[in-house]
């Protein structure tokens, strides 16, 4: 089944995840930067949507690939001056700064193996499977919308493609996970592409 991105119109129909860690802005940080499209509070009444690799022919794929590369480089540096702007900058709280810094250094954190192992890390960009009930127009609206979200996950395992999260709730960076993940919210509103990442921790 083809994987789609979340649009601002259809976000609530797909998935809920834990509260977000902070905000980032890749290009064009500051006022007008994209906000998370997902609800912050869990809603147990709605089943979680399954994840799948983002379609190679999606117009969003190269945008998320570029953002994922920039984010991985910043996180690998362990330099707060490099990763903090991508996770909210001045809006990222001191507690969240300390938490993310811990994830990048804690030996029990999945980030340690996923991003800092000697071998080449595998990565996947995952979208949410669109419900079969969506019409062609609704599916087109997702692909051609001005805002979208996707998950980027890294793994050092040779068979990493078999270990990616099944739902967004699995991308919680809990100790013992075989992958580490971040969620990226992207906007092209006003012709000025902006994005920011969120790092959840279960």
């Amino acid at each position: 089944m083809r994987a789609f991105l979340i649009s601002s119109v259809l976000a609530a129909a797909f998935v809920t995840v834990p509260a977000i860690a902070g905000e980032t802005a890749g290009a064009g940080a500051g006022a007008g930067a994209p906000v998370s499209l997902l609800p912050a509070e869990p809603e147990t009444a709605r089943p979680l949507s399954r994840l799948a690799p983002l379609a190679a022919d999606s117009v969003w794929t190269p945008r998320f690939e570029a953002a994922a590369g920039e984010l991985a480089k910043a996180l690998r540096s362990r330099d707060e001056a490099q990763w903090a702007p991508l996770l909210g900058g001045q809006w990222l709280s001191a507690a969240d700064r300390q938490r993310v810094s811990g994830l990048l250094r804690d030996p029990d954190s999945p980030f340690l193996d996923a991003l800092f192992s000697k071998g080449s890390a595998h990565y996947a960009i995952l979208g949410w499977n669109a419900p079969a009930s969506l019409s062609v127009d609704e599916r087109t609206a997702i692909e051609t919308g001005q805002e979208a979200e996707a998950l980027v996950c890294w793994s050092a395992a040779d068979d990493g493609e078999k270990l990616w999260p099944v739902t967004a709730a699995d991308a919680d960076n809990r100790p013992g996970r075989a992958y580490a993940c971040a969620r990226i919210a992207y906007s092209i509103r006003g012709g000025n592409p902006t994005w920011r990442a969120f790092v959840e921790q279960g």
Side-chain angles (χ1 to χ4, degrees):
M1 183 181 292
R2 183 186 178 95
F4 283 80
L5 297 156
I6 287 185
S7 73
S8 57
V9 175
L10 300 169
F14 291 134
V15 65
T16 60
V17 297
I20 59 178
E23 307 173 349
T24 73
V35 298
S36 174
L37 305 176
L38 300 178
E41 296 299 326
E43 298 176 8
T44 57
R46 184 178 295 117
L48 298 177
S49 179
R50 295 177 68 85
L51 300 170
L54 193 60
D57 61 349
S58 169
V59 297
W60 288 97
T61 297
R63 295 168 180 152
F64 280 106
E65 286 180 339
E70 184 179 348
L71 180 60
K73 180 180 178 181
L75 293 174
R76 284 191 179 103
S77 75
R78 286 196 175 106
D79 180 3
E80 184 175 323
Q82 293 190 44
W83 56 256
L86 306 181
L87 295 173
Q90 62 181 319
W91 293 282
L92 187 64
S93 70
D96 280 334
R97 288 174 185 267
Q98 184 176 6
R99 184 179 59 78
V100 174
S101 181
L103 279 172
L104 298 178
R105 298 179 185 279
D106 184 347
D108 293 327
S109 166
F111 278 94
L112 204 65
D113 284 336
L115 287 179
F116 300 102
S117 61
K118 293 183 179 179
S120 298
H122 306 278
Y123 79 96
I125 298 176
L126 307 172
W128 287 258
N129 279 326
S133 59
L134 288 184
S135 68
V136 173
D137 288 343
E138 288 171 326
R139 291 170 184 262
T140 300
I142 294 174
E143 182 66 11
T144 61
Q146 294 185 305
E147 296 179 350
E149 288 193 19
L151 285 169
V152 56
C153 297
W154 301 273
S155 174
D158 290 337
D159 57 349
E161 66 276 5
K162 300 177 183 178
L163 302 173
W164 303 126
V166 175
T167 71
D170 300 324
D172 58 2
N173 299 309
R174 178 170 52 83
R177 295 290 192 195
Y179 48 77
C181 299
R183 183 158 47 89
I184 297 175
Y186 207 111
S187 173
I188 55 173
R189 289 188 179 278
N192 181 30
T194 59
W195 63 270
R196 63 193 190 196
F198 304 89
V199 176
E200 275 91 26
Q201 183 177 12

mmCIF file with all atom_site columns, all heavy atoms in Angstrom, residues 1-18:
data_model
loop_
_atom_site.group_PDB
_atom_site.id
_atom_site.type_symbol
_atom_site.label_atom_id
_atom_site.label_alt_id
_atom_site.label_comp_id
_atom_site.label_asym_id
_atom_site.label_entity_id
_atom_site.label_seq_id
_atom_site.pdbx_PDB_ins_code
_atom_site.Cartn_x
_atom_site.Cartn_y
_atom_site.Cartn_z
_atom_site.occupancy
_atom_site.B_iso_or_equiv
_atom_site.pdbx_formal_charge
_atom_site.auth_seq_id
_atom_site.auth_comp_id
_atom_site.auth_asym_id
_atom_site.auth_atom_id
_atom_site.pdbx_PDB_model_num
ATOM 1   N N   . MET A 1 1  ? 0.840  -1.201 0.000  1.00 0.00 ? 1  MET A N   1
ATOM 2   C CA  . MET A 1 1  ? 0.000  0.000  0.000  1.00 0.00 ? 1  MET A CA  1
ATOM 3   C C   . MET A 1 1  ? 0.875  1.249  0.000  1.00 0.00 ? 1  MET A C   1
ATOM 4   O O   . MET A 1 1  ? 1.889  1.297  0.654  1.00 0.00 ? 1  MET A O   1
ATOM 5   C CB  . MET A 1 1  ? -0.914 0.001  1.227  1.00 0.00 ? 1  MET A CB  1
ATOM 6   C CG  . MET A 1 1  ? -1.863 1.188  1.267  1.00 0.00 ? 1  MET A CG  1
ATOM 7   S SD  . MET A 1 1  ? -2.903 1.165  2.754  1.00 0.00 ? 1  MET A SD  1
ATOM 8   C CE  . MET A 1 1  ? -3.908 -0.272 2.397  1.00 0.00 ? 1  MET A CE  1
ATOM 9   N N   . ARG A 1 2  ? 0.482  2.219  -0.783 1.00 0.00 ? 2  ARG A N   1
ATOM 10  C CA  . ARG A 1 2  ? 1.253  3.442  -0.900 1.00 0.00 ? 2  ARG A CA  1
ATOM 11  C C   . ARG A 1 2  ? 1.220  4.234  0.411  1.00 0.00 ? 2  ARG A C   1
ATOM 12  O O   . ARG A 1 2  ? 0.200  4.337  1.062  1.00 0.00 ? 2  ARG A O   1
ATOM 13  C CB  . ARG A 1 2  ? 0.656  4.291  -2.021 1.00 0.00 ? 2  ARG A CB  1
ATOM 14  C CG  . ARG A 1 2  ? 1.419  5.584  -2.310 1.00 0.00 ? 2  ARG A CG  1
ATOM 15  C CD  . ARG A 1 2  ? 0.638  6.380  -3.338 1.00 0.00 ? 2  ARG A CD  1
ATOM 16  N NE  . ARG A 1 2  ? 1.287  7.637  -3.619 1.00 0.00 ? 2  ARG A NE  1
ATOM 17  C CZ  . ARG A 1 2  ? 2.122  7.842  -4.623 1.00 0.00 ? 2  ARG A CZ  1
ATOM 18  N NH1 . ARG A 1 2  ? 2.428  6.837  -5.412 1.00 0.00 ? 2  ARG A NH1 1
ATOM 19  N NH2 . ARG A 1 2  ? 2.659  9.016  -4.841 1.00 0.00 ? 2  ARG A NH2 1
ATOM 20  N N   . ALA A 1 3  ? 2.368  4.771  0.788  1.00 0.00 ? 3  ALA A N   1
ATOM 21  C CA  . ALA A 1 3  ? 2.447  5.575  2.011  1.00 0.00 ? 3  ALA A CA  1
ATOM 22  C C   . ALA A 1 3  ? 2.239  7.043  1.681  1.00 0.00 ? 3  ALA A C   1
ATOM 23  O O   . ALA A 1 3  ? 2.788  7.547  0.711  1.00 0.00 ? 3  ALA A O   1
ATOM 24  C CB  . ALA A 1 3  ? 3.798  5.382  2.677  1.00 0.00 ? 3  ALA A CB  1
ATOM 25  N N   . PHE A 1 4  ? 1.443  7.717  2.480  1.00 0.00 ? 4  PHE A N   1
ATOM 26  C CA  . PHE A 1 4  ? 1.158  9.129  2.285  1.00 0.00 ? 4  PHE A CA  1
ATOM 27  C C   . PHE A 1 4  ? 1.649  9.938  3.468  1.00 0.00 ? 4  PHE A C   1
ATOM 28  O O   . PHE A 1 4  ? 1.903  9.409  4.545  1.00 0.00 ? 4  PHE A O   1
ATOM 29  C CB  . PHE A 1 4  ? -0.350 9.354  2.110  1.00 0.00 ? 4  PHE A CB  1
ATOM 30  C CG  . PHE A 1 4  ? -0.855 8.991  0.750  1.00 0.00 ? 4  PHE A CG  1
ATOM 31  C CD1 . PHE A 1 4  ? -1.104 7.676  0.422  1.00 0.00 ? 4  PHE A CD1 1
ATOM 32  C CD2 . PHE A 1 4  ? -1.059 9.965  -0.200 1.00 0.00 ? 4  PHE A CD2 1
ATOM 33  C CE1 . PHE A 1 4  ? -1.564 7.327  -0.838 1.00 0.00 ? 4  PHE A CE1 1
ATOM 34  C CE2 . PHE A 1 4  ? -1.531 9.637  -1.466 1.00 0.00 ? 4  PHE A CE2 1
ATOM 35  C CZ  . PHE A 1 4  ? -1.787 8.313  -1.783 1.00 0.00 ? 4  PHE A CZ  1
ATOM 36  N N   . LEU A 1 5  ? 1.749  11.220 3.252  1.00 0.00 ? 5  LEU A N   1
ATOM 37  C CA  . LEU A 1 5  ? 2.092  12.145 4.315  1.00 0.00 ? 5  LEU A CA  1
ATOM 38  C C   . LEU A 1 5  ? 0.825  12.632 4.987  1.00 0.00 ? 5  LEU A C   1
ATOM 39  O O   . LEU A 1 5  ? -0.264 12.515 4.442  1.00 0.00 ? 5  LEU A O   1
ATOM 40  C CB  . LEU A 1 5  ? 2.849  13.334 3.723  1.00 0.00 ? 5  LEU A CB  1
ATOM 41  C CG  . LEU A 1 5  ? 4.176  12.939 3.087  1.00 0.00 ? 5  LEU A CG  1
ATOM 42  C CD1 . LEU A 1 5  ? 4.574  13.957 2.055  1.00 0.00 ? 5  LEU A CD1 1
ATOM 43  C CD2 . LEU A 1 5  ? 5.233  12.806 4.135  1.00 0.00 ? 5  LEU A CD2 1
ATOM 44  N N   . ILE A 1 6  ? 0.997  13.211 6.161  1.00 0.00 ? 6  ILE A N   1
ATOM 45  C CA  . ILE A 1 6  ? -0.142 13.797 6.866  1.00 0.00 ? 6  ILE A CA  1
ATOM 46  C C   . ILE A 1 6  ? -0.340 15.229 6.399  1.00 0.00 ? 6  ILE A C   1
ATOM 47  O O   . ILE A 1 6  ? 0.595  16.016 6.364  1.00 0.00 ? 6  ILE A O   1
ATOM 48  C CB  . ILE A 1 6  ? 0.081  13.778 8.377  1.00 0.00 ? 6  ILE A CB  1
ATOM 49  C CG1 . ILE A 1 6  ? -0.078 12.335 8.878  1.00 0.00 ? 6  ILE A CG1 1
ATOM 50  C CG2 . ILE A 1 6  ? -0.886 14.683 9.099  1.00 0.00 ? 6  ILE A CG2 1
ATOM 51  C CD1 . ILE A 1 6  ? 0.002  12.207 10.361 1.00 0.00 ? 6  ILE A CD1 1
ATOM 52  N N   . SER A 1 7  ? -1.553 15.564 6.014  1.00 0.00 ? 7  SER A N   1
ATOM 53  C CA  . SER A 1 7  ? -1.875 16.948 5.702  1.00 0.00 ? 7  SER A CA  1
ATOM 54  C C   . SER A 1 7  ? -2.574 17.571 6.887  1.00 0.00 ? 7  SER A C   1
ATOM 55  O O   . SER A 1 7  ? -3.093 16.885 7.754  1.00 0.00 ? 7  SER A O   1
ATOM 56  C CB  . SER A 1 7  ? -2.788 17.029 4.471  1.00 0.00 ? 7  SER A CB  1
ATOM 57  O OG  . SER A 1 7  ? -4.081 16.591 4.810  1.00 0.00 ? 7  SER A OG  1
ATOM 58  N N   . SER A 1 8  ? -2.602 18.897 6.932  1.00 0.00 ? 8  SER A N   1
ATOM 59  C CA  . SER A 1 8  ? -3.235 19.571 8.059  1.00 0.00 ? 8  SER A CA  1
ATOM 60  C C   . SER A 1 8  ? -4.731 19.265 8.119  1.00 0.00 ? 8  SER A C   1
ATOM 61  O O   . SER A 1 8  ? -5.334 19.293 9.179  1.00 0.00 ? 8  SER A O   1
ATOM 62  C CB  . SER A 1 8  ? -3.016 21.082 7.952  1.00 0.00 ? 8  SER A CB  1
ATOM 63  O OG  . SER A 1 8  ? -3.507 21.569 6.724  1.00 0.00 ? 8  SER A OG  1
ATOM 64  N N   . VAL A 1 9  ? -5.349 18.976 6.992  1.00 0.00 ? 9  VAL A N   1
ATOM 65  C CA  . VAL A 1 9  ? -6.780 18.710 6.966  1.00 0.00 ? 9  VAL A CA  1
ATOM 66  C C   . VAL A 1 9  ? -7.089 17.324 7.516  1.00 0.00 ? 9  VAL A C   1
ATOM 67  O O   . VAL A 1 9  ? -8.072 17.118 8.216  1.00 0.00 ? 9  VAL A O   1
ATOM 68  C CB  . VAL A 1 9  ? -7.311 18.823 5.517  1.00 0.00 ? 9  VAL A CB  1
ATOM 69  C CG1 . VAL A 1 9  ? -8.774 18.433 5.452  1.00 0.00 ? 9  VAL A CG1 1
ATOM 70  C CG2 . VAL A 1 9  ? -7.121 20.240 5.000  1.00 0.00 ? 9  VAL A CG2 1
ATOM 71  N N   . LEU A 1 10 ? -6.212 16.344 7.233  1.00 0.00 ? 10 LEU A N   1
ATOM 72  C CA  . LEU A 1 10 ? -6.520 14.960 7.545  1.00 0.00 ? 10 LEU A CA  1
ATOM 73  C C   . LEU A 1 10 ? -5.694 14.398 8.673  1.00 0.00 ? 10 LEU A C   1
ATOM 74  O O   . LEU A 1 10 ? -5.765 13.209 8.967  1.00 0.00 ? 10 LEU A O   1
ATOM 75  C CB  . LEU A 1 10 ? -6.296 14.109 6.284  1.00 0.00 ? 10 LEU A CB  1
ATOM 76  C CG  . LEU A 1 10 ? -7.160 14.515 5.087  1.00 0.00 ? 10 LEU A CG  1
ATOM 77  C CD1 . LEU A 1 10 ? -6.685 13.802 3.838  1.00 0.00 ? 10 LEU A CD1 1
ATOM 78  C CD2 . LEU A 1 10 ? -8.614 14.181 5.341  1.00 0.00 ? 10 LEU A CD2 1
ATOM 79  N N   . ALA A 1 11 ? -4.925 15.225 9.362  1.00 0.00 ? 11 ALA A N   1
ATOM 80  C CA  . ALA A 1 11 ? -4.003 14.725 10.386 1.00 0.00 ? 11 ALA A CA  1
ATOM 81  C C   . ALA A 1 11 ? -4.700 13.908 11.455 1.00 0.00 ? 11 ALA A C   1
ATOM 82  O O   . ALA A 1 11 ? -4.248 12.833 11.820 1.00 0.00 ? 11 ALA A O   1
ATOM 83  C CB  . ALA A 1 11 ? -3.266 15.898 11.030 1.00 0.00 ? 11 ALA A CB  1
ATOM 84  N N   . ALA A 1 12 ? -5.806 14.414 11.971 1.00 0.00 ? 12 ALA A N   1
ATOM 85  C CA  . ALA A 1 12 ? -6.461 13.750 13.097 1.00 0.00 ? 12 ALA A CA  1
ATOM 86  C C   . ALA A 1 12 ? -7.004 12.384 12.725 1.00 0.00 ? 12 ALA A C   1
ATOM 87  O O   . ALA A 1 12 ? -7.255 11.564 13.593 1.00 0.00 ? 12 ALA A O   1
ATOM 88  C CB  . ALA A 1 12 ? -7.590 14.630 13.622 1.00 0.00 ? 12 ALA A CB  1
ATOM 89  N N   . ALA A 1 13 ? -7.175 12.115 11.444 1.00 0.00 ? 13 ALA A N   1
ATOM 90  C CA  . ALA A 1 13 ? -7.749 10.844 11.032 1.00 0.00 ? 13 ALA A CA  1
ATOM 91  C C   . ALA A 1 13 ? -6.737 9.716  11.016 1.00 0.00 ? 13 ALA A C   1
ATOM 92  O O   . ALA A 1 13 ? -7.097 8.557  10.912 1.00 0.00 ? 13 ALA A O   1
ATOM 93  C CB  . ALA A 1 13 ? -8.364 10.980 9.637  1.00 0.00 ? 13 ALA A CB  1
ATOM 94  N N   . PHE A 1 14 ? -5.445 10.044 11.127 1.00 0.00 ? 14 PHE A N   1
ATOM 95  C CA  . PHE A 1 14 ? -4.422 9.033  10.935 1.00 0.00 ? 14 PHE A CA  1
ATOM 96  C C   . PHE A 1 14 ? -3.859 8.460  12.213 1.00 0.00 ? 14 PHE A C   1
ATOM 97  O O   . PHE A 1 14 ? -3.875 7.268  12.426 1.00 0.00 ? 14 PHE A O   1
ATOM 98  C CB  . PHE A 1 14 ? -3.273 9.598  10.097 1.00 0.00 ? 14 PHE A CB  1
ATOM 99  C CG  . PHE A 1 14 ? -3.657 9.860  8.671  1.00 0.00 ? 14 PHE A CG  1
ATOM 100 C CD1 . PHE A 1 14 ? -3.310 11.041 8.057  1.00 0.00 ? 14 PHE A CD1 1
ATOM 101 C CD2 . PHE A 1 14 ? -4.387 8.927  7.966  1.00 0.00 ? 14 PHE A CD2 1
ATOM 102 C CE1 . PHE A 1 14 ? -3.663 11.269 6.745  1.00 0.00 ? 14 PHE A CE1 1
ATOM 103 C CE2 . PHE A 1 14 ? -4.753 9.158  6.646  1.00 0.00 ? 14 PHE A CE2 1
ATOM 104 C CZ  . PHE A 1 14 ? -4.403 10.328 6.041  1.00 0.00 ? 14 PHE A CZ  1
ATOM 105 N N   . VAL A 1 15 ? -3.287 9.299  13.089 1.00 0.00 ? 15 VAL A N   1
ATOM 106 C CA  . VAL A 1 15 ? -2.463 8.750  14.150 1.00 0.00 ? 15 VAL A CA  1
ATOM 107 C C   . VAL A 1 15 ? -2.303 9.738  15.268 1.00 0.00 ? 15 VAL A C   1
ATOM 108 O O   . VAL A 1 15 ? -2.386 10.936 15.057 1.00 0.00 ? 15 VAL A O   1
ATOM 109 C CB  . VAL A 1 15 ? -1.076 8.360  13.578 1.00 0.00 ? 15 VAL A CB  1
ATOM 110 C CG1 . VAL A 1 15 ? -0.309 9.542  13.097 1.00 0.00 ? 15 VAL A CG1 1
ATOM 111 C CG2 . VAL A 1 15 ? -0.255 7.603  14.613 1.00 0.00 ? 15 VAL A CG2 1
ATOM 112 N N   . THR A 1 16 ? -2.078 9.245  16.495 1.00 0.00 ? 16 THR A N   1
ATOM 113 C CA  . THR A 1 16 ? -1.725 10.100 17.610 1.00 0.00 ? 16 THR A CA  1
ATOM 114 C C   . THR A 1 16 ? -0.440 9.598  18.205 1.00 0.00 ? 16 THR A C   1
ATOM 115 O O   . THR A 1 16 ? -0.144 8.418  18.177 1.00 0.00 ? 16 THR A O   1
ATOM 116 C CB  . THR A 1 16 ? -2.824 10.107 18.683 1.00 0.00 ? 16 THR A CB  1
ATOM 117 O OG1 . THR A 1 16 ? -2.998 8.769  19.158 1.00 0.00 ? 16 THR A OG1 1
ATOM 118 C CG2 . THR A 1 16 ? -4.128 10.625 18.129 1.00 0.00 ? 16 THR A CG2 1
ATOM 119 N N   . VAL A 1 17 ? 0.355  10.514 18.756 1.00 0.00 ? 17 VAL A N   1
ATOM 120 C CA  . VAL A 1 17 ? 1.645  10.160 19.331 1.00 0.00 ? 17 VAL A CA  1
ATOM 121 C C   . VAL A 1 17 ? 1.829  10.906 20.636 1.00 0.00 ? 17 VAL A C   1
ATOM 122 O O   . VAL A 1 17 ? 1.077  11.818 20.951 1.00 0.00 ? 17 VAL A O   1
ATOM 123 C CB  . VAL A 1 17 ? 2.799  10.525 18.358 1.00 0.00 ? 17 VAL A CB  1
ATOM 124 C CG1 . VAL A 1 17 ? 2.689  9.737  17.095 1.00 0.00 ? 17 VAL A CG1 1
ATOM 125 C CG2 . VAL A 1 17 ? 2.809  12.013 18.067 1.00 0.00 ? 17 VAL A CG2 1
ATOM 126 N N   . PRO A 1 18 ? 2.889  10.571 21.438 1.00 0.00 ? 18 PRO A N   1
ATOM 127 C CA  . PRO A 1 18 ? 3.139  11.284 22.685 1.00 0.00 ? 18 PRO A CA  1
ATOM 128 C C   . PRO A 1 18 ? 3.436  12.752 22.444 1.00 0.00 ? 18 PRO A C   1
ATOM 129 O O   . PRO A 1 18 ? 3.693  13.178 21.319 1.00 0.00 ? 18 PRO A O   1
ATOM 130 C CB  . PRO A 1 18 ? 4.366  10.552 23.247 1.00 0.00 ? 18 PRO A CB  1
ATOM 131 C CG  . PRO A 1 18 ? 4.329  9.198  22.602 1.00 0.00 ? 18 PRO A CG  1
ATOM 132 C CD  . PRO A 1 18 ? 3.770  9.441  21.232 1.00 0.00 ? 18 PRO A CD  1
#
